[in-house]
Amino acid sequence: MSGYSAKQVLDQLSRPGEHPVLRGDLALVGLPGLVYTPAAGLGLPAVAFGHGWLQPVERYRALLRHLASWGVVAAAPGTQRGPLMSSRLLAGNLRTTLDICTGVRLGDGDISVDSERLAVAGHSMGGGAAVLAATEDERVRAVVTFAASEARPSALDAARRVRVPGLHLAGGEDRIAPPVGHAEAIAEAWAGPVQLRMLPKTSHLGFAEGRHWSELLLDGKGERAAQKLARALTTAFLLRVLKGDKRWDALLDNDVKGAPLTYQRSASGAIAATQTQHVSR
């Protein structure tokens, strides 16, 4: 969409893509969770998504389905659901999910994933787990987080070793993981190309879909405006980094209403050029 404004690209990427979508269950191959894929396609990109603290993976179904409609296999392990959630173990589950995506022929054999086009993403503690996974798996080419929270081991320390492109979305009304000590600090420590976008009116749970009893314990609730922005920005970022698709650069390169750029290192062209870089060991 060369020549289109950021708003026009946002509107386009907020709508489902052209691919019919299939839904599957990771439990069939030994790991609880969900997987959404385009109905067909070989050598596809894939992303493994980590859920937030106490959040079921079903709260991210629309995001996973949306990515699949744009040609990205999207899978979310349904592990580490208890109050003693381990970001370290969830990071390992994200890596296992990538193993499944690349090692198992999906659908009826009409779908395969390119091991050179892999990403990790996550919300809250799942965002911290995604950062940890990126330091442990040299296949990871991109990282996306929503309201990322610090983890054990430290996601902030891990960020200093991640050289692949990162996109971090933070909520200005997040009282569980305030950006200044979590997403903002992670973005500023990032070793590779990075963007931080602040959604000023979004709470910690704004990125999670629907309603859930955990809202009694945590701050905020699902917010459709935040989810729309997250879907569009994540889609643009993954298509740019994993596939070199430049049509959505206007969205990545500019401020967007409701999600201004608050920190950036390197332009989108530099971000796309890092496909072959790995995590510093």
Side-chain angles (χ1 to χ4, degrees):
M1 295 184 66
S2 177
Y4 285 77
S5 68
K7 182 180 183 303
Q8 289 171 316
V9 174
L10 174 65
D11 289 343
Q12 175 70 15
L13 288 181
S14 297
R15 298 192 289 270
E18 63 182 3
H19 297 275
V21 174
L22 303 177
R23 172 180 168 169
D25 190 341
L26 291 177
L28 296 176
V29 288
L31 186 74
L34 300 175
V35 58
Y36 286 83
T37 74
L42 301 179
L44 298 172
V47 59
F49 187 91
H51 61 80
W53 185 56
L54 298 178
Q55 304 308 304
V57 292
E58 287 77 13
R59 295 202 79 181
Y60 309 97
R61 284 181 298 188
L63 171 66
L64 302 176
R65 185 185 302 110
H66 184 83
L67 291 171
S69 77
W70 283 94
V72 179
V73 172
T79 57
Q80 296 302 309
R81 285 285 316 283
L84 299 180
M85 174 181 176
S86 166
S87 292
R88 178 181 62 83
L89 293 178
L90 183 56
N93 296 145
L94 292 176
R95 296 177 62 193
T96 300
T97 299
L98 294 179
D99 291 339
I100 293 170
C101 289
T102 56
V104 176
R105 187 57 77 90
L106 305 171
D108 293 326
D110 297 326
I111 305 160
S112 69
V113 169
D114 186 344
S115 62
E116 296 294 318
R117 293 179 171 181
L118 302 181
V120 288
H123 170 228
S124 181
M125 288 183 70
V131 178
L132 297 178
T135 68
E136 300 165 351
D137 196 326
E138 65 180 12
R139 299 173 298 174
V140 172
R141 297 292 191 265
V143 181
V144 183
T145 72
F146 309 152
S149 63
E150 181 56 304
R152 292 184 182 180
S154 171
L156 177 57
D157 290 344
R160 298 187 175 98
R161 306 194 304 276
V162 183
R163 298 191 178 278
V164 299
L167 171 65
H168 305 284
L169 306 183
E173 296 296 324
D174 189 341
R175 297 179 179 86
I176 301 298
V180 65
H182 295 267
E184 186 176 314
I186 290 171
E188 291 177 354
W190 206 257
V194 66
Q195 284 191 358
L196 171 70
R197 289 182 181 267
M198 189 69 66
L199 281 63
K201 299 180 180 180
T202 297
S203 67
H204 188 71
L205 290 178
F207 298 104
E209 300 154 13
R211 302 299 300 270
H212 189 252
W213 64 262
S214 59
E215 293 168 7
L216 298 172
L217 301 176
L218 299 173
D219 182 59
K221 60 183 179 180
E223 301 162 21
R224 290 186 178 181
Q227 294 154 24
K228 174 183 176 180
L229 287 164
R231 285 195 297 268
L233 287 162
T234 301
T235 303
F237 181 75
L238 293 180
L239 291 178
R240 183 65 167 102
V241 178
L242 301 182
K243 296 188 67 176
D245 191 339
K246 301 179 180 180
R247 290 177 294 169
W248 323 112
D249 282 3
L251 181 60
L252 297 174
D253 291 346
N254 297 285
D255 283 334
V256 179
K257 184 179 180 182
L261 265 169
T262 54
Y263 181 79
Q264 177 173 245
R265 187 186 305 116
S266 296
S268 64
I271 286 176
T274 63
Q275 265 194 40
T276 59
Q277 291 185 2
H278 297 295
V279 174
S280 175
R281 297 293 173 182

